């Protein structure tokens, strides 16, 4: 392709933009359409420019040969751009514009036309970008690397290996015999090539041959090169009955269609690393629809998906969602996506199709096909199969007789499964086919039910079992029990197992399993390889065995409750013997799941995996008396299991990536117990539930942290901690102080990338929605803490989210000036409400869901009322002079209450828009409103630190609640009216009794301001969101106060050891310094050496003098205080700074103190006279660290430039006597942070600086950078007297062979291998101990084997550690 072709399109694009600019200034009503088209044309032109630049960089000898697909796209886009240009610039329009001026200019596109053009340009842009990347411009090596990376990304998809029609597991499953189903297959073929309907639904009763037809259709499509993917569901077959892998399995198969499609899917995985954990809606959009939308029709014109037995998908909600996803196929423009679907006519599927537009789907009901047609097909199939048997067994040519075939056809009653099973029965190599045929023909079906013949055939098969026929009376009972035990387990299992795994689960030999199942090939799929699973050939065999009306022989009838009881016992017995610590030999405590090299299956056998996942499920299906027999009581087997193997079980589930199932199992186990019985077991289960919920995040990520972090930070009174104390790592030699009991915080949900604005429960309590400044709404399962879905679409931060009362709709409001309505079950965007002209801050549904109110701030300052069903605007309240800060509907929908910055509350009639009354009383802006469930109380919260309760009928103030120490941001009533919760910038949640105004409880835990709260509909959970980016779930009914550890009450800003390590000083925003004896400190007694009080602001910096006799503290109150650390006496207060003190440092002899402040001054104090010795003003920089040389000749200051954007770090050396600048030490290492500490060696030959993640050593005489060490986390340092070591907050660093004339770079050797890195405590760089949210430090210090961590909550934690994690 010549460069001119690209340039031509660019020039046309420029003309279009020029024309759009005229409309932009001349057209007002279509401003949004104009802006949207302008933005898309600009983006498209930018892509073309990149192509132009690439074309022009190649000379004639190296001429770029662009692919045909790229040339075609550019050619097509040229036509579209030219069309837009002509539409915008018709010749008659020029004349009109000249005659009447711009005001008469009419926008020539409808909104729909603009959206279509934008969509086309978006597709061109995406296709050009992807095609360019895969063109001949990329070297073959780069292509190979790209393909390898694509394969690596695709490998992240979790797929169901046996789901495809041509998988190894299905290789022996039949397709339609030639000349059968002829008309039906012809209809399917016609639909696939000619019909506009994207879905073909083949439905029929069990046994009518749906799966065989589906395999045939899939095979035909594959031969025609139009099969995209297939998925054959199968209930009770693990992944094949679970929709969680449905979309990822389809995507993995689709990736082989074309390089472009493969690249697009792999890119989607790279962009969304957790895509397989997201909801089906997100997966479908990102892995299927978006990649398909960029395909070129030349690459693929038609594509088919085959989905069999959708009714065997285990969750009805997933079935409903999958059908909704399929409807989206009709909107694809680049390819015809056809979906062939089979199922039984189950209610969820019938309703799903009923709700679809008829033009989307074509249906065919198998039992509506004329009987004669079906019988003909069965006759052909039967003849074909029996001929094969005759040939293989060398039978006479006249076998079987046509009369016999006709009789079998009649007995089949049009059920293909009957004939297929009969053929397998007759073809059993251990029997003579004529005899087996006679048995079937001679059997007499009794009963009038539709399955009578099928039941009779199944009974004949069972009666021919050798173990049944030849058994003597003595063995009869034993063999009957063996059949029920083994076959009963096969048909009762929740997932398929191999003979080896089944033998392991039931604790019997593989030989016995083989003998029992060997004669059941007619009804079971049994492979020669005993490691492959045994599967039912058809679910009708299970239906027969478990129905005592159909299976009337007691030898074969399976009582499913008894079968579940035996399986529950077997699971528990197996787990007792098989579970242990570190099942996969990970050894390293911080090993992450994704780092596990060997497969879990190699270490945890399939029978043990099954027992881990399903023991509770089997127990659940046994009546209460049976549960007691199994051991569901105090000191029973289950109680013992939880006391001995809970952690081992959770570790196994984590390795299997099934920890969320563990949460559900414990919850279901708890529900089995009666309220007033087995209290000891109930307490253990409750403790186990709290343990899992509190630690789910880390258990999922690093299994062995069960025995480290999860157990270590568990409350002291926890039964789990008491039972498993011996499992704690031996390298933890001194345990941290923890709470006595579980707090009211049930779990912490992490995942948002920015501040969380609001949280809301659905009315049924099944979902928790959180909205964030990161532009997403996340939907969580509050029972497990699992992320269910992420809703994306807003183009700016989301300020509000709310469910409708029936939980069918979710509304989100954003700073992008739109409200979006979503289906929370599927994640589908229902509609976008537009009209506000500034940020939307609040959105509320009326109680009956008939109205949606949205309030906007800024210049808009209106409330808009919408019909959520239609998206139509119903009315606008625009008579307010102040921005609205809070809004709420009364429960009956008769009142809409708004609050604004003028400190007033207004009550409106939403039907008429009339202002009814105004409530006055607050003295600062109101931040939140809430009605009680009976509408008898209205609560308002304000910046004035009060909550006021009003009678909305009379406007009377009932009471005022006080107690918060900072602004109150949120207030909410529980639905039962017993609680009123308030959340504040003081980081606490307070629970009040609204009837009396009495404070019931205070919940601490968040480390930043509370932003939103919500009660669940049953008042059992309270969710809170915070600027710390976490969501916490609290139990409001327990009344458990967090035990208060003696220590600081606000964030700890600094910790430092004295020079001899005998004292630890901590400084806090609570205006105190606390001194601890780290060796004698007794966590049990919670003793403290002393508390230094006197500052009137938070303390920013602290430092010990060299001899440890003085402690200096610098504060936000602009003063420096000198203390005697032994007695706690205040020696003096140094005043003079006019802003926060940022750094303090003693001279070696303790005679001088240097201080730096945000007032841009550096001061030196004479401590003998307590007077200011010298001062210097330093503009344009902020001093971050100071140090005085040992001979008191030099003063070193480290600073951050407040003007320049440069990241180079500067140290200034001053003459202490004259306060004149001697020299500047500057490093050009741009990957370091702010310098937080500087220190001179005792001989003044070296100067050290700490700037995370490095330490620099300087020669102050030259001045040169001598050496640069890597030392992450160091923010305090000093030299040892002999200059051979550096003392840091993370331990000693050994220094040797330092040549002051040579600059080198190396790794520092910390004497302590321990370090705090983000959320982990590491040993020699390896993750060792995960720090839960409540225990993450704001600062830390290490001395020897002791680590001290100051926390945002104010507490100080001491942790004694060994020298190695392997000890």
């Amino acid at each position: 392709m010549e460069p001119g072709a690209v340039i031509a399109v660019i020039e046309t694009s420029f003309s279009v933009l020029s024309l759009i600019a005229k409309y932009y200034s001349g057209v007002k009503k279509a401003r949004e359409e104009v802006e949207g088209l302008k933005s898309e044309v600009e983006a498209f032109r930018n892509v073309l420019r990149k192509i132009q630049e690439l074309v022009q960089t190649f000379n004639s000898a190296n001429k770029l040969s662009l692919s045909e697909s790229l040339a075609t796209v550019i050619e097509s886009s040229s036509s579209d751009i030219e069309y837009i240009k002509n539409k915008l610039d018709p010749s008659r329009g020029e004349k009109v514009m000249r005659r009447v001026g711009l005001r008469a200019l009419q926008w020539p596109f409808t909104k729909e036309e603009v959206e279509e053009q934008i969509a086309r340009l978006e597709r061109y842009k995406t296709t050009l970008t992807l095609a360019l990347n895969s063109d001949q411009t990329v070297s073959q090596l780069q292509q190979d690397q790209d393909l390898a990376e694509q394969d690596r990304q695709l490998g992240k998809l979790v797929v169901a290996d046996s789901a495809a029609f041509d998988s190894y597991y299905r290789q022996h499953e039949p397709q339609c015999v030639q000349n059968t189903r002829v008309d039906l297959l012809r209809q399917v073929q016609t639909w696939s090539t000619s019909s506009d309907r994207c879905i073909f639904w083949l439905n029929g009763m069990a046994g009518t041959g749906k799966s065989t037809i589906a395999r045939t259709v899939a095979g035909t499509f594959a031969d025609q090169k139009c099969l995209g993917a297939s998925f054959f569901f199968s209930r009770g077959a693990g992944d094949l009955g679970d929709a969680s892998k449905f979309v990822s399995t389809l995507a993995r198969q689709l990736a082989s269609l074309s390089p472009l499609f493969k690249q697009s899917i792999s890119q989607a995985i790279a962009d969304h690393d957790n895509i397989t954990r997201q909801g089906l809606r997100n997966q479908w959009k990102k892995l299927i629809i978006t990649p398909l939308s960029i395909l070129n029709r030349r690459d693929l014109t038609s594509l088919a998906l085959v989905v069999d037995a959708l009714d065997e998908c285990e969750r009805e909600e997933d079935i409903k969602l999958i059908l909704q996803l399929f409807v989206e196929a009709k909107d694809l423009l680049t390819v015809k996506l056809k979906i062939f679907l089979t199922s039984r006519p189950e209610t969820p599927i019938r309703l799903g199709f009923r709700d679809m537009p008829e033009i989307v789907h074509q249906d065919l009901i198998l039992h509506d096909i004329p009987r004669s047609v079906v019988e003909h097909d069965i006759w052909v199939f039967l003849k074909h199969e029996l001929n094969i048997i005759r040939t293989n067994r060398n039978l006479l040519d006249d076998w079987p007789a046509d009369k016999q075939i006709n009789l079998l056809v009649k007995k089949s009653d049009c059920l293909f499964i009957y004939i297929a099973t009969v053929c397998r029965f007759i073809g059993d190599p251990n029997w003579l086919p004529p005899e087996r045929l006679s048995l079937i023909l001679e059997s007499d079906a009794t009963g009038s039910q539709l399955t009578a013949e099928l039941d009779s055939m199944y009974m004949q098969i069972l009666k021919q079992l050798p173990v049944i026929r030849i058994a003597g009376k003595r063995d009869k009972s034993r063999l009957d029990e063996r059949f029920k035990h083994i076959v009963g387990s096969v048909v009762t299992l929740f997932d398929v197992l191999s003979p080896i795994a089944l033998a392991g689960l039931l604790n019997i030999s593989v030989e016995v399993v083989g003998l029992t199942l060997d004669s059941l090939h007619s009804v079971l799929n049994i492979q020669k390889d005993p490691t492959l699973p045994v599967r039912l050939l058809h679910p009708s065999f299970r239906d027969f065995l478990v129905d005592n009306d159909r299976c009337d022989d007691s030898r074969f009838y399976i009582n499913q409750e008894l079968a579940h009881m035996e399986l529950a016992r077997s699971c528990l017995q197996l787990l007792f013997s098989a579970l242990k610590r570190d099942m996969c030999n990970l050894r390293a405590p911080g090993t992450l799941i994704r780092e596990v090299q060997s497969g879990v299956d190699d270490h945890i056998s399939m029978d043990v995996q099954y027992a881990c996942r399903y023991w509770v499920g089997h127990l659940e299906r046994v009546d209460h008396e049976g549960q007691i027999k199994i051991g569901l009581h105090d000191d029973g087997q289950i109680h013992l299991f939880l006391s001995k193997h809970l952690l081992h079980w959770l570790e196994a589930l984590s390795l299997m990536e099934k920890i969320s199932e563990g949460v559900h199992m414990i919850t279901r186990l708890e529900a089995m117990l009666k309220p007033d019985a087995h209290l000891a077991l109930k307490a253990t289960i409750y403790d186990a539930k709290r343990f899992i919920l509190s630690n789910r995040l880390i258990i999922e990520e690093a299994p062995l942290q069960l025995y480290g972090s999860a157990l270590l930070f568990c409350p002291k009174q926890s039964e789990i901690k008491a039972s498993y104390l011996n499992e704690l790592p031996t390298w933890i030699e001194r345990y941290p102080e923890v709470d006595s009991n579980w707090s009211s915080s049930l779990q912490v949900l992490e995942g948002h990338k920015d501040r969380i604005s609001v949280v809301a429960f659905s009315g049924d309590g099944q979902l928790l929605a959180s909205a964030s400044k990161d532009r997403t709404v996340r939907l969580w399962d509050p029972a497990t803490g699992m992320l269910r879905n992420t809703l994306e679409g807003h183009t700016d931060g989301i300020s509000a989210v709310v469910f409708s009362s029936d939980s069918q709709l979710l509304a989100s409001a954003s700073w992008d000036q739109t409200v979006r309505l979503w289906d929370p079950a599927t994640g589908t965007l229902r509609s976008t409400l537009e009209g506000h002209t500034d940020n939307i801050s609040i959105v509320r549904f009326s109680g009956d869901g008939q109205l949606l109110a949205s309030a906007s701030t800024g210049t808009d300052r209106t409330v808009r009322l919408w019909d959520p069903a239609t998206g139509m605007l119903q009315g606008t309240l625009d008579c307010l002079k102040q921005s609205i800060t809070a809004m709420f509907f009364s429960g009956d929908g008769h009142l809409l209450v708004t609050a604004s910055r003028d400190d007033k509350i207004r009550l409106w009639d939403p039907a008429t828009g009339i202002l009814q009354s105004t409530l006055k009383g607050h003295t600062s802006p109101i931040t939140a409103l809430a009605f009680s469930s009976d509408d008898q109380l209205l609560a308002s919260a304000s910046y004035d630190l009060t909550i006021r309760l009003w009678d909305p009928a009379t406007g009377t103030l009932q009471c005022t609640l006080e107690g918060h120490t900072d602004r109150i941001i949120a207030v909410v009533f529980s639905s039962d009216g017993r609680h009123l919760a308030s959340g504040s910038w003081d980081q606490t949640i307070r629970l009040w009794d609204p009837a009396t105004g009495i404070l019931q409880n205070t919940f601490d835990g968040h480390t930043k301001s509370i932003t939103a709260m919500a009660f669940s509909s049953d008042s059992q959970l309270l969710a809170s969101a915070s600027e710390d980016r976490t969501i916490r779930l609290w139990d409001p009914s327990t009344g458990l106060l967090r035990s208060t550890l003696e220590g600081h009450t606000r964030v700890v800003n600094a910790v430092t050891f004295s020079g001899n390590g005998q004292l630890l000083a901590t400084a806090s925003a609570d205006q105190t310094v606390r001194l601890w004896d780290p060796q004698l400190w007794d966590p049990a007694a919670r003793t403290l050496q002393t508390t230094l009080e006197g500052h009137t602001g938070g303390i920013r910096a602290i430092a010990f003098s060299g001899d440890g006799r003085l402690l200096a503290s610098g504060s936000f109150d602009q003063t420096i205080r000198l203390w005697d650390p032994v007695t706690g006496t205040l020696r003096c207060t140094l005043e003079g700074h006019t802003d926060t003190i940022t750094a303090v440092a003693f001279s070696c002899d303790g005679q001088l103190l240097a201080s730096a402040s945000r007032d841009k001054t550096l001061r030196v104090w004479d401590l003998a006279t307590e007077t200011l010795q010298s001062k210097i003003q330093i503009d344009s920089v902020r001093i971050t660290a100071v140090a005085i040389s040992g001979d008191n000749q030099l003063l070193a200051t480290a600073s951050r430039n407040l003007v320049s954007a440069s990241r180079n770090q500067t140290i200034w050396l001053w003459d202490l006597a004259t306060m004149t600048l001697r020299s500047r030490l500057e490093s050009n290492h741009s990957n370091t942070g702010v310098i937080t500490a500087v220190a001179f060696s005792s001989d003044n030959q070296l100067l050290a600086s700490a700037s995370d993640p490095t330490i620099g050593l300087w020669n102050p005489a030259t001045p040169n950078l001598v050496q640069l060490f890597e030392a992450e986390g160091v923010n305090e340092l000093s030299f040892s007297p002999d200059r051979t070591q550096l003392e840091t907050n993370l331990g000693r660093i050994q220094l040797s062979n330092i040549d002051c004339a040579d600059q080198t770079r190396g790794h520092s050797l910390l004497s302590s291998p321990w370090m705090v890195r983000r959320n982990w405590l590491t040993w020699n760089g390896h993750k060792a101990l995960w720090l839960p949210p409540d225990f993450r430090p704001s600062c830390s210090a290490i001395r020897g084997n002791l680590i001290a961590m100051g926390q945002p909550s104010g507490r100080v934690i001491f942790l004694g550690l060994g020298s190695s994690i392997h000890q």
Side-chain angles (χ1 to χ4, degrees), residues 158-169:
V158 183
V159 300
D161 294 323
S162 302
F165 90 100
D166 56 353
S167 64
Y168 175 83
Y169 156 60

Side-chain angles (χ1 to χ4, degrees), residues 158-163 169-170 231-246 249 309 312-315 318 490 492-498 533-536 542 606 609-610 613-614 656 658 661:
V158 183
V159 300
D161 294 323
S162 302
Y169 156 60
R170 299 185 185 279
F231 196 104
F232 281 56
F233 282 98
S234 179
R235 190 186 299 273
D239 295 338
L240 301 185
D242 184 357
S244 63
K245 298 180 181 178
F246 174 67
T249 300
E312 298 216 11
C313 177
E314 293 171 352
R315 286 169 53 97
D318 290 337
V490 170
T492 305
L493 290 171
F494 294 115
D495 197 357
V496 292
L497 290 176
S498 67
V534 176
R535 303 175 187 267
L536 292 172
R542 178 198 294 115
M606 297 310 296
Q609 289 191 41
Y610 181 91
R613 292 185 64 187
Y614 297 116
M656 295 155 54
K658 301 292 183 184
E661 292 184 11

Side-chain angles (χ1 to χ4, degrees), residues 55 120 180 247 347 394 527 568 648 653 656 695 720 741 781 868 878 885 938 981 996 1025 1027 1037 1074 1089 1155 1192:
V55 171
R120 293 173 72 87
T180 64
V247 175
T347 299
N394 295 318
Q527 306 291 330
H648 308 147
L653 287 175
M656 295 155 54
N695 297 286
I720 303 303
N741 298 294
D781 180 345
D878 56 3
T885 57
L938 171 67
T996 64
E1027 288 187 355
S1037 63
R1074 293 178 186 255
Q1089 189 85 351
S1155 63
N1192 288 356

Side-chain angles (χ1 to χ4, degrees), residues 332-356:
L332 278 170
L333 301 176
T334 55
V335 64
K336 275 188 175 181
L337 181 60
K338 296 301 189 82
I339 300 162
F340 181 80
L341 169 70
T342 76
S343 76
R344 298 185 191 185
E346 304 291 4
T347 299
I349 300 177
R350 285 189 289 105
L351 293 177
F353 276 101
R354 186 194 67 184
D355 294 339
M356 285 185 198

Side-chain angles (χ1 to χ4, degrees), residues 734-950:
R734 178 171 171 179
Y735 300 156
E737 173 69 348
V738 295
D739 294 339
S740 295
N741 298 294
W742 293 106
S743 73
S744 296
S745 177
L746 296 175
Q747 56 182 314
V748 179
L749 311 180
E750 296 183 291
H752 279 293
K753 298 176 182 177
D754 210 326
R755 184 176 70 88
I756 299 168
S757 314
V758 66
V759 290
F761 277 102
S762 60
D764 56 12
Q766 298 301 305
L767 287 175
L768 175 70
S770 59
S772 168
K773 193 178 177 182
D774 66 11
R775 306 180 183 182
T776 68
V777 176
R778 293 179 180 247
L779 298 177
W780 311 82
D781 180 345
T784 65
M786 184 178 182
L787 179 65
R788 294 279 291 273
N789 215 335
T790 301
L791 311 182
E792 298 175 297
H794 282 293
T795 58
D796 208 334
I798 301 170
S799 53
V801 67
V802 65
F803 285 93
S804 60
S805 57
D806 60 4
S807 304
Q808 297 302 303
L809 279 179
L810 175 73
S812 59
S814 167
W815 296 324
D816 65 11
Q817 304 176 16
T818 69
V819 176
R820 294 179 181 247
L821 295 178
W822 312 81
D823 181 340
T826 65
T828 307
L829 177 64
R830 291 283 189 87
S831 60
T832 301
L833 312 182
E834 298 173 296
H836 282 292
T837 59
D838 212 324
N839 299 341
I840 303 172
S841 57
I842 312 168
V843 63
R844 298 286 187 192
F845 279 101
S846 60
D848 58 8
Q850 299 301 304
L851 278 180
L852 178 72
S854 58
S856 177
T857 58
T859 58
D860 186 322
R861 299 182 183 177
T862 65
V863 173
R864 293 178 179 251
L865 301 175
W866 312 83
D867 181 342
T870 65
M872 298 296 293
L873 181 65
Q874 301 294 297
T876 302
L877 310 180
D878 56 3
C879 56
L880 304 178
K881 298 179 180 179
Q882 296 285 334
S883 293
I884 297 169
T885 57
M887 180 173 65
F888 220 93
F889 275 102
S890 61
D892 58 13
H894 293 160
L895 283 178
L896 177 65
V897 182
T898 62
S900 56
R901 293 189 180 276
D902 62 3
D903 311 340
K904 297 181 179 64
I905 301 170
R906 293 174 171 85
L907 281 67
W908 307 81
D909 182 342
T912 64
I914 296 175
L915 178 62
Q916 293 193 339
S917 60
T918 301
L919 310 181
K920 302 177 183 179
H922 283 292
T923 58
S924 291
I926 298 163
T927 56
L929 295 168
F931 272 102
S932 60
S933 57
D934 58 5
D935 293 337
Q936 297 300 303
L937 282 177
L938 171 67
S940 59
S942 169
Y943 281 178
D944 64 12
L945 310 187
T946 69
I947 302 157
R948 295 177 184 251
L949 297 180
W950 311 81

Side-chain angles (χ1 to χ4, degrees), residues 1257-1286:
L1257 293 180
W1258 310 78
N1259 182 349
T1262 39
N1264 290 326
L1265 177 65
V1266 177
Q1267 200 161 12
L1268 193 68
F1269 291 110
E1270 293 181 3
E1272 184 179 351
V1274 172
N1275 52 41
E1276 292 183 15
L1277 47 75
S1278 61
F1279 281 92
S1280 62
D1282 60 3
R1283 208 186 74 171
T1284 61
Q1285 293 179 330
L1286 276 177

